[in-house]
Amino acid sequence: MNVSEAVATRRSVRDFLPDPVPLETIREILAKAQRAPSGGNTQPWNAVVLTGEPLAELTAKIKAKAQSAPMGEGMEYAIYPSGLEGRYEQQRRAVGQAMFDALGIGREDGAGRVKQMMRNWDSFGAPVQIFTYCRTYMGPPQWSDMGMWLQTVMLLLREAGLDSCPQEIWAMYGRYMRELLDIGDDYIFFTGMAVGYRNPDAPVNNFAVPRVEIDDAIRFRGF
């Protein structure tokens, strides 16, 4: 698979097969991803990779926390800006609606929507989670570096026949996640990312996810 194919076939997968992913595969991918760019070669990313019983234990604890604090607790950053508007907000809402439509969950089905959201805590059935964090003093440029590292990991996963789903929803319980993962107070929790093999037949993995036309987002000069 070339880079173009990896980019074209990557998507946020929300229904995984239970097939395990070997440690050697994950280690090889993450070792390659260390070549991701970062300002001044700071490489600000840190991660904890869980599978098996450790992931099951963390999942159970977060699901219990979600029951007692469904709106989140201990968030350390805003997942979306409060002033999100225009096409940015429209795009966010549109992809959510497309997902629920693919699942046959109507707008009026609040319970169905909550049930689908709760599947985040089960990593959508993925056998592996990559939890990412960085030092608290890191700023927006270093967070951008973490994003470039995660994108590199996601494309390498595609090359290996694997899939992923970045899940910032775990940051709803940021301080608790740090406690569960034994991450010190001098760090901030960023995101989880489910990793595994996609269920190719699941409707939630097959709905169209449109992108903005290039001329609506990018201007060219001097050509």
Side-chain angles (χ1 to χ4, degrees):
M1 182 181 294
N2 62 36
V3 176
S4 294
E5 291 170 332
V7 171
T9 59
R10 190 219 64 83
R11 65 178 293 142
S12 293
V13 167
R14 293 182 174 86
D15 194 321
F16 289 86
L17 299 173
D19 305 24
V21 181
L23 172 62
E24 307 82 63
T25 300
I26 296 293
R27 287 189 63 90
E28 181 180 358
I29 287 169
L30 294 180
K32 290 179 179 179
Q34 288 300 104
R35 299 301 306 172
S38 60
N41 198 33
T42 53
Q43 304 174 58
W45 51 82
N46 298 271
V48 179
V49 185
L50 298 186
T51 193
E53 189 59 32
L55 179 57
E57 291 178 1
L58 182 143
T59 294
K61 290 175 180 177
I62 281 291
K63 289 170 80 171
K65 176 66 74 174
Q67 289 292 330
S68 63
M71 302 306 293
E73 181 181 278
M75 290 184 67
E76 298 181 293
Y77 72 92
I79 296 175
Y80 297 107
S82 58
L84 196 65
E85 43 72 44
R87 72 170 175 87
Y88 311 109
E89 177 64 4
Q90 292 167 11
Q91 289 154 194
R92 187 183 73 87
R93 290 181 177 273
V95 75
Q97 187 59 53
M99 180 188 72
F100 288 125
D101 287 347
L103 291 165
I105 300 174
R107 185 180 296 274
E108 73 288 347
D109 186 0
R113 291 184 171 223
V114 169
K115 182 178 179 181
Q116 174 61 24
M117 190 196 77
M118 293 295 288
R119 291 204 68 219
N120 275 281
W121 311 130
D122 289 311
S123 303
F124 301 112
V128 175
Q129 265 285 350
I130 300 177
F131 294 112
T132 305
Y133 59 101
C134 71
R135 294 293 293 269
T136 55
Y137 59 70
M138 296 296 183
Q142 289 73 48
W143 283 62
S144 173
D145 293 341
M146 284 196 293
M148 290 192 285
W149 176 75
L150 286 166
Q151 174 76 339
T152 303
V153 172
M154 287 187 277
L155 296 180
L156 289 168
L157 287 167
R158 285 302 302 128
E159 181 187 56
L162 288 154
D163 285 285
S164 60
C165 183
Q167 296 174 275
E168 288 179 312
I169 194 171
W170 295 89
M172 287 177 60
Y173 306 100
R175 285 198 293 272
Y176 189 47
M177 286 298 297
R178 288 197 291 104
E179 177 185 330
L180 294 177
L181 295 169
D182 194 25
I183 298 171
D185 290 341
D186 50 344
Y187 291 90
I188 182 170
F189 177 84
F190 177 28
T191 188
M193 188 167 76
V195 173
Y197 299 95
R198 81 172 71 178
N199 178 354
D201 301 321
V204 75
N205 292 337
N206 290 291
F207 68 90
V209 182
R211 291 295 192 260
V212 171
E213 293 295 331
I214 187 172
D215 291 324
D216 292 334
I218 298 169
R219 293 183 290 169
F220 299 90
R221 295 179 177 176
F223 290 92

